[in-house]
Amino acid sequence: MTAVLHRTTTTTTNTSPAAPLLGLARAALATVVWSGSFVTSRGLHDSVPPIQHAFWRWVIALVAVAPFGARQAWRQRALIRRHARYVLLASLLGVAVYNTLVNQAGLTTPAATMGMIMAASPVLMAVFERLGGVRLGARRTTGLLIACAGVALLVGGGAHFSAGDLWMIAAACCFAGYSTLLRRKPAELAGTAFLFTTFVVGTVLLLPAQAASLALQGGFAPTPGTVLPLLYVGVASSAVAFFAWNKAIALIGATRAGIVYYLQPVCVAALSWAVLGETTGRPQLLSMALILGGVVLGAGARR
């Protein structure tokens, strides 16, 4: 990863007065939409195999993004080839591996717990950025620690570890690496071209696993109960949310966007209760209050 990052041009954070507010809004939009994808992963655990879930998600996302990104990606094909290793790494972490791990976790882990564990990824983002030389500041660090305490209380408040939890920890590491990597995106590479290209490369990387899954597990029945959730994760959670998240990273950086990402356990808990009937107790509510407090404190820190 170091070699790839060294060869790319660092994306400069937007200094417009409206940039922080716009960046926070886009990070919040992506977080809320992604919360629904955890509920979808859990809801489809007994009807769509994890790899097929991920593969068809990105096929749908490609169709959704192609009208906006395909032509631009073709115009910038020489630039994409020049930064091929960077694009390959971003596609591997953010597209091919991350969502497949989330779907695998959904086989055994409740959606609310998946959201709790994923809330640890902003801590990893901050660590990665600090290693890259980014100064976090006292207020932002305090916000991170308060929100992290909320996550720790959630996990220690009665959650039982399973194989799915380990898959989610691996997914959190992948997402944190992808988000940190976005800060190194070549400035001249257009956002929609980059998004479309990573979707293409990630889908291609999933092809061997998709073929193996079909051979070993068979396909799934295309019913409204399977197709509609896949349309949601393909269009909203992939095309819309990834574009919003990438823009948020460019505007405010991975650390501050990551603090907003701490809202995800709150959103996932609410959605899992409404859609799947998963309950939330007093320890979880207290944890959510800590998470929200950390978000407000850390996201409001000045650069």
Side-chain angles (χ1 to χ4, degrees), residues 203-227:
T203 303
V204 171
L205 290 174
L206 281 170
L207 273 173
Q210 167 73 358
S213 177
L214 287 173
L216 296 175
Q217 300 173 297
F220 61 90
T223 65
T226 57
V227 173

Side-chain angles (χ1 to χ4, degrees), residues 26 29-30 33-34 61 64-65 195 199 232-246:
R26 286 175 171 172
L29 172 63
V33 174
W34 273 331
V65 173
L195 200 66
F199 286 4
Y232 171 82
V233 295
V235 177
S237 293
S238 300
V240 176
F242 266 75
F243 183 78
W245 184 257
N246 291 1

Side-chain angles (χ1 to χ4, degrees), residues 68-275:
F68 310 98
R71 184 175 299 178
Q72 196 169 46
W74 176 254
R75 287 198 298 264
Q76 294 193 318
R77 61 189 181 278
L79 178 63
I80 292 170
R81 284 197 300 268
R82 191 184 315 152
H83 299 287
R85 287 186 293 176
Y86 171 85
V87 172
L88 177 62
L89 183 57
S91 305
L92 179 67
L93 290 177
V95 178
V97 177
Y98 164 63
N99 289 282
T100 304
L101 292 175
V102 171
N103 296 338
Q104 184 68 33
L107 295 178
T108 56
T109 299
T113 304
M114 292 165 68
M116 297 176 204
I117 296 173
M118 272 304 297
S121 59
V123 176
L124 296 172
M125 293 178 205
V127 171
F128 291 159
E129 285 208 330
R130 184 67 186 91
L131 292 174
V134 177
R135 298 185 63 181
L136 304 182
R139 183 172 176 177
R140 192 177 303 173
T141 301
T142 303
L144 279 169
L145 292 175
I146 292 174
C148 191
V151 175
L153 180 60
L154 274 171
V155 175
H160 300 284
F161 251 62
S162 66
D165 298 341
L166 298 178
W167 288 117
M168 279 306 304
I169 292 173
C173 292
C174 286
F175 183 74
Y178 170 78
S179 296
T180 306
L181 196 63
L182 288 178
R183 286 296 299 273
R184 304 285 181 168
K185 185 179 77 67
E188 64 272 25
L189 181 57
T192 52
F194 172 75
L195 200 66
F196 177 79
T197 304
T198 56
F199 286 4
V200 171
V201 175
T203 303
V204 171
L205 290 174
L206 281 170
L207 273 173
Q210 167 73 358
S213 177
L214 287 173
L216 296 175
Q217 300 173 297
F220 61 90
T223 65
T226 57
V227 173
L228 291 178
L230 287 175
L231 286 174
Y232 171 82
V233 295
V235 177
S237 293
S238 300
V240 176
F242 266 75
F243 183 78
W245 184 257
N246 291 1
K247 285 290 188 179
I249 296 292
L251 288 170
I252 60 176
T255 300
R256 189 178 291 184
I259 293 173
V260 177
Y261 193 76
Y262 268 120
L263 290 169
Q264 186 161 259
V266 182
C267 300
V268 175
L271 288 172
S272 63
W273 171 78
V275 178

